Amino acid sequence: MSAAPDHTPTFARLSLADRLSLSAPYLLVPALVAIGFLVIGAPSSWLTLTVSGLAMGMMIFIMASGLTLVFGLMDIINFGHGAFISLGAFMGVSVLFWLSSWTGAPSLVLNVAAVLLAILAAMVFTGAIGWAFERVIVRPVYGSHLKQILITVGGLIVLEQAIHVVWGAEEIYLNRPEALRGSITFGNSALERYRILAVVIGLAIFVAMRLVLRRTKIGLIVRAGVQNGEMVEALGYRLKLVFIGVFIAGSALAGLGGVMWALYEQVITAGMGESMMILIFIVVIIGGLGSIEGAFIGAILVGLLQNYVAFLEPKVALISNIGLMTAILLWRPQGMMPVVKAK
Amino acid sequence: MSEPILALDGVVTDIGQYHILKGVSFEVPRGQVTMLLGRNGVGKTTTLRTIMGLWPARAGRILLDGEDIARAPVSNRAGQGVGFVPEDMGIFSDLTVEENMILAARSGPLDGARRDWLFAAFPPLRTFWRSEAGNLSGGQKQMLSIARAMAEERRLYLIDEPTKGLAPAIVSTMVGALRELKAQGASILMVEQNFSVARALGDRVVVMDDGVVVWTGTMAELAADTARQERLMGLSVEAH
Ligand SMILES: Nc1ncnc2c1ncn2[C@@H]1O[C@H](COP(=O)(O)OP(=O)(O)OP(=O)(O)O)[C@@H](O)[C@H]1O
Ligand SMILES: [Mg+2]
């Protein structure tokens, strides 16, 4: 729709140092993988751990992506996000139980169809819950962080209790469908099929989100809104509507993450989402509020570190991620790729 | 004369617990440039932001073409044809210049003739069309901010200090572009501290002090009366 510039811009060309500093966050991933290789020693364990780290990272990214945009767009802190993860998991697992004749059949098509239906049901359900949550819980507390924290934690508790009421207070165990069980061997390492699938789904979601954010007008509005919501309104767009859409999409993605996490752990509890929130907040913060790319890299770093350290020294796995956050914030106080202006 | 494009009538705006605008009333005639002048901190920016809806007016009426928009949401005011160049320029720095312009042309793709006109008025926009707006210099950002307001025909332009902090050569580019806009018959309400720029562009003047309007008149009257300038604004033509 536009002509290329007459001549190549020279003024804005970046120096090598600038480019290094821009791509530095991306370089952290291979750096961490290389360090893992050196420290772990055994290549087969390293490969297995790397794949599970990536799988975990992708799932955390899917759960965190909506939260970071909601943070960035409206400056809303939503602790209730964890409940959408749990609700998605319970809804998805219910559908899988209901379709047990499909999931138990030795048919790839039926297995995949059951999982896709479970995901669809979970996303529609958590999207709808997210829509209601925004109207009832979040909308009255725009602009006040303290009230947001209090009331969204309240919402989290209510939704978790609702899960107890509907699905019972016990944890629920499940088996993955036939086709998603087992591993493939690669050299000496056994790579679980499901983890590889999780990596593929995570990458696909990331690519799709980037395309929407970069190539569509609604994506432009979201990115602009994260930086300067007032100006987006002053150009005639109803940012609130866009925000509600993002909130619903983010809740649906949390539901997707919940189903994926349920299939990964093969057990679900009402508190599963809440217990993920620590890692999710770490990812949102180190990625830089409002940044999808930052959350993506942050989630991969967190997933990898968690798996490497759990193998080497299980007791310090969570501490290691808090250490990672501290180190990154010392390096970049706004996170790796901040897009939100400091308010 | 025809009905003014914009009329403020007793507009009161509070920010937090501070009373900033204490009953502002003035008119912006159609097809003219009205300069909003006054010392620092008297409420000029607050007035523009209140017209745009970015601060809520606690009392008073804001009539756009006779219709009261004082309670309308910001996006509706923009949709009714009010273009806004904020004091801090409001550039989307992670977006390219092109993407900034795509957003500015809300009703459809930026039309080619208009884009060529903007490129002619602000050559750096063509050069850096595909670059991130955050990499532009201060003057180039200001050009982009004004170009965004000009991306569509607006009924009224609100422009806050378009020459703030700019080198003299860029100031004259800016004045040139605003002159062209004026020549097309645009209605403009503009805040400007640089009196020679204000005098070059302004038809009418509204002077504020401490949250109220203290003088209105023509630019010719004010320009001819240095004593009045000193009294109203603490400035003189010589000093600027
Ligand atoms: N966000 C805010 N919070 C509190 N007070 C504010 C805020 N914005 C402006 N004010 C106060 O409102 C008054 C008017 O400010 P305003 O920005 O409208 O002045 P101005 O005439 O545009 O000044 P300048 O010439 O310096 O741009 C000032 O006293 C200022 O301190
Ligand atoms: Mg001002």
Side-chain angles (χ1 to χ4, degrees):
Chain A
M1 67 169 293
S2 61
D6 276 355
H7 55 282
T8 333
T10 48
F11 181 85
R13 182 164 287 163
L14 299 173
S15 70
L16 184 64
D18 283 343
R19 261 184 278 176
L20 263 183
S21 116
L22 273 180
S23 51
Y26 291 100
L27 298 177
L28 286 179
V29 172
L32 182 58
V33 171
I35 292 170
F37 185 78
L38 295 176
V39 176
I40 291 163
S44 62
S45 317
W46 166 80
L47 185 57
T48 306
L49 291 169
T50 302
V51 170
S52 35
L54 288 175
M56 182 175 174
M58 295 298 174
M59 288 186 265
I60 297 176
F61 163 70
I62 290 172
M63 298 178 207
S65 54
L67 198 67
T68 197
L69 284 180
V70 163
F71 239 143
L73 262 183
M74 291 313 238
D75 202 20
I76 296 273
I77 301 176
N78 177 20
F79 280 89
H81 197 74
F84 305 149
I85 295 169
S86 305
L87 284 167
F90 276 84
M91 183 49 119
V93 168
S94 299
V95 170
L96 286 176
F97 280 149
W98 181 60
L99 294 174
S100 58
S101 58
W102 292 16
T103 57
S107 150
L108 179 67
V109 175
L110 283 181
N111 287 180
V112 170
V115 170
L116 287 181
L117 274 178
I119 286 174
L120 186 69
M123 291 181 77
V124 169
F125 181 56
T126 53
I129 298 275
W131 173 76
F133 197 87
E134 196 280 335
R135 281 192 85 99
V136 176
I137 308 246
V138 174
R139 200 172 298 178
V141 291
Y142 278 127
S144 161
H145 282 162
L146 181 62
K147 283 186 195 164
Q148 285 161 19
I149 292 170
L150 294 175
I151 196 165
T152 60
V153 167
L156 173 74
I157 295 170
V158 168
L159 289 176
E160 283 183 1
Q161 293 307 311
I163 290 177
H164 284 307
V165 171
V166 176
W167 280 280
E170 299 295 310
E171 57 208 357
I172 297 176
Y173 291 88
L174 64 143
N175 287 317
R176 274 176 221 146
E178 285 293 331
L180 300 182
R181 284 183 215 163
S183 325
I184 56 170
T185 38
F186 183 85
N188 286 329
S189 11
L191 306 179
E192 269 190 50
R193 282 215 179 111
Y194 180 68
R195 294 183 183 174
I196 295 172
L197 179 70
V199 173
V200 172
I201 295 180
L203 276 176
I205 299 264
F206 175 63
V207 170
M209 284 182 90
R210 265 188 68 111
L211 279 179
V212 170
L213 286 172
R214 310 229 153 232
R215 297 272 179 271
T216 67
K217 188 143 184 183
I218 197 93
L220 279 188
I221 296 172
V222 170
R223 281 163 59 213
V226 169
Q227 289 168 55
N228 190 338
E230 252 184 13
M231 197 60 218
V232 170
E233 296 246 308
L235 289 175
Y237 302 98
R238 294 177 65 187
L239 196 61
K240 285 254 160 73
L241 278 187
V242 175
F243 169 70
I244 292 169
V246 168
F247 199 96
I248 292 172
S251 308
L253 284 170
L256 167 63
V259 179
M260 290 176 70
W261 195 249
L263 286 167
Y264 181 69
E265 296 278 338
Q266 305 193 76
V267 56
I268 56 174
T269 66
M272 65 184 274
E274 187 186 332
S275 58
M276 293 302 292
M277 286 306 281
I278 299 176
L279 288 182
I280 291 172
F281 272 121
I282 290 178
V283 162
V284 168
I285 291 166
I286 66 180
L289 300 187
S291 165
I292 285 294
E293 284 85 359
F296 183 69
I297 294 168
I300 291 177
L301 292 176
V302 163
L304 286 172
L305 192 65
Q306 180 92 1
N307 276 272
Y308 290 158
V309 177
F311 175 77
L312 295 165
E313 200 61 62
K315 288 193 191 109
V316 294
L318 181 60
I319 306 286
S320 72
N321 273 313
I322 292 175
L324 173 72
M325 176 167 79
T326 312
I328 285 184
L329 291 184
L330 285 174
W331 170 48
R332 293 198 173 163
Q334 306 275 343
M336 293 186 290
M337 304 177 152
V339 282
V340 182
K341 288 190 290 189
K343 284 181 184 150
Chain B
M1 224 192 89
S2 68
E3 188 188 4
I5 184 78
L6 180 78
L8 273 66
D9 176 16
V11 170
V12 176
T13 301
D14 299 341
I15 302 180
Q17 74 267 44
Y18 301 103
H19 306 301
I20 308 293
L21 302 187
K22 304 164 181 173
V24 171
S25 307
F26 65 88
E27 293 185 349
V28 176
R30 202 178 297 274
Q32 294 191 15
V33 178
T34 301
M35 287 290 166
L36 186 57
L37 305 180
R39 290 173 233 262
N40 290 119
V42 298
K44 305 182 296 294
T45 295
T46 306
T47 301
L48 293 198
R49 286 177 56 88
T50 304
I51 298 168
M52 201 65 226
L54 295 167
W55 295 126
R58 182 162 62 75
R61 295 189 305 157
I62 300 171
L63 303 172
L64 180 69
D65 250 336
E67 185 193 340
D68 191 359
I69 58 166
R71 307 287 171 282
V74 179
S75 53
N76 283 17
R77 303 186 200 198
Q80 292 198 45
V82 183
F84 182 48
V85 178
E87 192 170 23
D88 66 3
M89 303 181 279
I91 295 300
F92 306 123
S93 45
D94 280 10
L95 273 55
T96 63
V97 170
E98 179 182 22
E99 289 169 334
N100 270 272
M101 294 303 294
I102 289 174
L103 284 181
R106 197 179 66 106
S107 53
L110 189 61
D111 89 77
R114 186 169 284 265
R115 199 189 62 208
D116 291 342
W117 173 54
L118 291 171
F119 280 170
F122 305 117
L125 296 188
R126 177 195 286 269
T127 313
F128 298 113
W129 190 237
R130 292 278 162 77
S131 314
E132 265 185 26
N135 295 338
L136 297 177
S137 73
Q140 292 161 348
K141 280 183 186 149
Q142 190 62 265
M143 293 180 195
L144 175 57
S145 186
I146 293 176
R148 259 188 342 197
M150 296 182 185
E152 289 182 331
E153 205 168 307
R154 318 276 181 193
R155 282 207 281 175
L156 171 69
Y157 296 80
L158 305 175
I159 305 177
D160 202 345
E161 299 208 42
T163 66
K164 193 172 168 182
L166 301 187
I170 305 192
V171 170
S172 58
T173 304
M174 217 59 94
V175 171
L178 292 167
R179 268 222 179 90
E180 282 192 44
L181 185 64
K182 176 178 173 172
Q184 295 176 0
S187 309
I188 303 176
L189 174 62
M190 186 163 135
V191 175
E192 180 54 68
Q193 298 283 13
N194 180 333
F195 192 71
S196 62
V197 171
R199 194 170 53 177
L201 290 167
D203 300 306
R204 299 196 54 85
V205 178
V206 174
V207 182
M208 289 182 68
D209 198 5
D210 196 18
V212 293
V213 172
V214 291
W215 188 81
T216 56
T218 64
M219 180 52 85
E221 275 175 82
L222 184 66
D225 189 345
T226 27
R228 173 167 275 148
Q229 289 163 28
E230 295 232 18
R231 189 157 44 76
L232 292 172
M233 293 170 288
L235 55 73
S236 65
V237 188
E238 284 72 36
H240 282 258

